[in-house]
Amino acid sequence: MGNSSSMLTQYDIEEVQEHCNNLFSQQEIVSLYQRFCQLDRNGKGFISADEFMSVPEFAFNPLSQRLLRMVDGLNFKDFVAFLSSFSSRASLQQKIELMFKVYDSDCNGKVTFNDILAVLRDLTGPFMTEEQREQVVNHVLKEAGYTQDCSLSLDNFIKILGKSDLKTEVEVPLD
């Protein structure tokens, strides 16, 4: 399944569907496999950071460096599972879990004031001062009932964002 010269069997497709909680149809999985094979230029069965950066939408994303640590070296099954979080069929919890991983840059299971500030820095670039960013993060944390000194677990993160009308759908090009 990982080699770009191989074809997906019906068993492979069903296995991938199960791995991504059936968020993609069989045809979508076949299309994603074709895209995966295009990205896997060296045919090793996984996509490297350099290969991911060849996708313009990914390369120009202000969070691309954060996402790279999540996607570098993914095989096809994990590639589809990663993309499933962006599907309109994914649950709010799945989307929040992905966001949590983006914020938790040191992978310690906690999101701190500095983690949130770093993401805001990536997103705003030179358009906000550091002081403005700190004010925004402090305000958001205060509104959610937290302080600058706290660290949020995944459960806290879900409680905060689960109340919002979160829109994290991204159209995944299948062709």
Side-chain angles (χ1 to χ4, degrees), residues 58-118:
F58 191 84
F60 292 118
N61 185 316
L63 299 176
S64 64
Q65 293 305 308
R66 291 175 171 278
L67 292 169
L68 269 181
R69 72 177 163 78
M70 296 168 57
V71 299
D72 187 24
L74 289 183
N75 63 27
F76 176 65
K77 193 163 49 169
D78 292 333
F79 172 75
V80 174
F82 172 76
L83 292 178
S84 69
S85 297
F86 296 99
S87 167
S88 61
R89 297 176 222 141
S91 71
L92 179 60
Q93 179 158 339
Q94 288 171 296
K95 294 171 191 237
I96 293 172
E97 287 172 2
L98 175 69
M99 290 175 64
F100 184 82
K101 290 176 186 175
V102 169
Y103 280 82
D104 182 19
S105 61
D106 58 4
C107 301
N108 69 351
K110 302 285 183 186
V111 171
T112 65
F113 174 84
N114 287 332
D115 291 330
I116 299 169
L117 193 60

Side-chain angles (χ1 to χ4, degrees), residues 156-168:
N156 300 134
F157 212 71
I158 290 170
K159 285 177 190 171
I160 293 168
L161 293 177
K163 298 175 186 176
S164 67
D165 185 24
L166 188 62
K167 302 283 189 226
T168 58

Side-chain angles (χ1 to χ4, degrees), residues 12-13 19 28 34 52 63 69 80 102 105 112 121 124 138 151 161:
D12 292 334
I13 293 169
H19 188 68
E28 288 171 325
Q34 292 167 346
F52 269 107
L63 299 176
R69 72 177 163 78
V80 174
V102 169
S105 61
T112 65
R121 192 177 298 120
T124 61
N138 275 318
S151 44
L161 293 177

